[in-house]
Amino acid sequence: MFPSMIAGFALSFSLILAIGAQNAFVLRQGLRREHVFPLCMTCAVSDAILIAAGVAGFGTLAQAAPWFETVMRYGGAIFLTWYALRSFQSAWRGGAMLDTDAGQRTSLRAAMLTVLAFTWLNPHVYLDTVVLIGSISAQYDDRMGFAIGAVSSSFVFFFSLGYGARVLSPIFARPRAWQILDVLIGIVMLGIAMKLVIM
């Protein structure tokens, strides 16, 4: 069981390591220390559901419903573009989102809806967690161990990202740092959106 768990952990961790829309949002909320636990838990549990679906053999959804991938791609692109524009607007205003004492705090409901959209409207999530992890898990006799390892990596990654962001808090005590972060997040979001449209 142990070798399968290590393989699942390593694969899943490598897939979610790159900074994407979901990771950038969790990082930003971690820096602001807003709703970190529920956001990290939502991301990890969502990954667990998708990984379990893939390992259980549901990776053929896109083949069974060809329209699903197209709807997810364009819906995700629209959402990511909207969020990118919001990030650029925040940067233009001079790091206004840092001012948490002036009514700028993100409500739990808004934060949860945003992270759920980043998670479930991203077709790459389905390709990585359901299709790729699901297909690779089939190569192992101990698929349960592989799945446990993959799910564990999601919990380790997201909670490390959310709570580890606090280490960077001294840097982000300055509005200029938040402006730079918002610009970078906006660029990441737009890049992913464009990739979704032209893929």
Side-chain angles (χ1 to χ4, degrees), residues 70-108:
T70 302
V71 171
M72 292 302 297
R73 275 200 304 123
Y74 286 100
I78 291 169
F79 177 76
L80 289 171
T81 300
W82 170 79
Y83 196 87
L85 294 176
R86 280 193 60 203
S87 294
F88 290 137
Q89 182 183 43
S90 174
W92 179 260
R93 290 178 176 173
M97 287 189 170
L98 178 62
D99 188 5
T100 58
D101 295 325
Q104 296 294 327
R105 285 184 61 85
T106 305
S107 70
L108 176 60

Side-chain angles (χ1 to χ4, degrees), residues 52-66:
V55 173
F58 292 105
T60 58
L61 175 62
Q63 296 175 349

Side-chain angles (χ1 to χ4, degrees), residues 6-116:
I6 294 297
F9 187 98
L11 175 64
S12 179
F13 199 88
S14 67
L15 290 174
I16 60 178
L17 186 59
I19 289 293
Q22 183 189 52
N23 297 351
F25 183 74
V26 172
L27 174 63
R28 184 177 170 282
Q29 293 302 112
L31 287 167
R32 297 183 67 188
R33 304 188 183 192
E34 286 184 2
H35 319 301
V36 178
F37 182 83
L39 290 175
C40 292
M41 183 61 72
T42 298
C43 291
V45 169
S46 295
D47 262 14
I49 292 170
L50 291 165
I51 290 168
V55 173
F58 292 105
T60 58
L61 175 62
Q63 296 175 349
W67 53 266
F68 180 75
E69 190 264 346
T70 302
V71 171
M72 292 302 297
R73 275 200 304 123
Y74 286 100
I78 291 169
F79 177 76
L80 289 171
T81 300
W82 170 79
Y83 196 87
L85 294 176
R86 280 193 60 203
S87 294
F88 290 137
Q89 182 183 43
S90 174
W92 179 260
R93 290 178 176 173
M97 287 189 170
L98 178 62
D99 188 5
T100 58
D101 295 325
Q104 296 294 327
R105 285 184 61 85
T106 305
S107 70
L108 176 60
R109 180 176 180 275
M112 292 294 288
L113 289 174
T114 301
V115 82
L116 285 170

Side-chain angles (χ1 to χ4, degrees), residues 8-9 12 44-45 47-49 51-52 145-156:
F9 187 98
S12 179
V45 169
D47 262 14
I49 292 170
I51 290 168
F146 186 91
I148 291 172
V151 168
S152 299
S153 75
S154 291
F155 278 87
V156 170

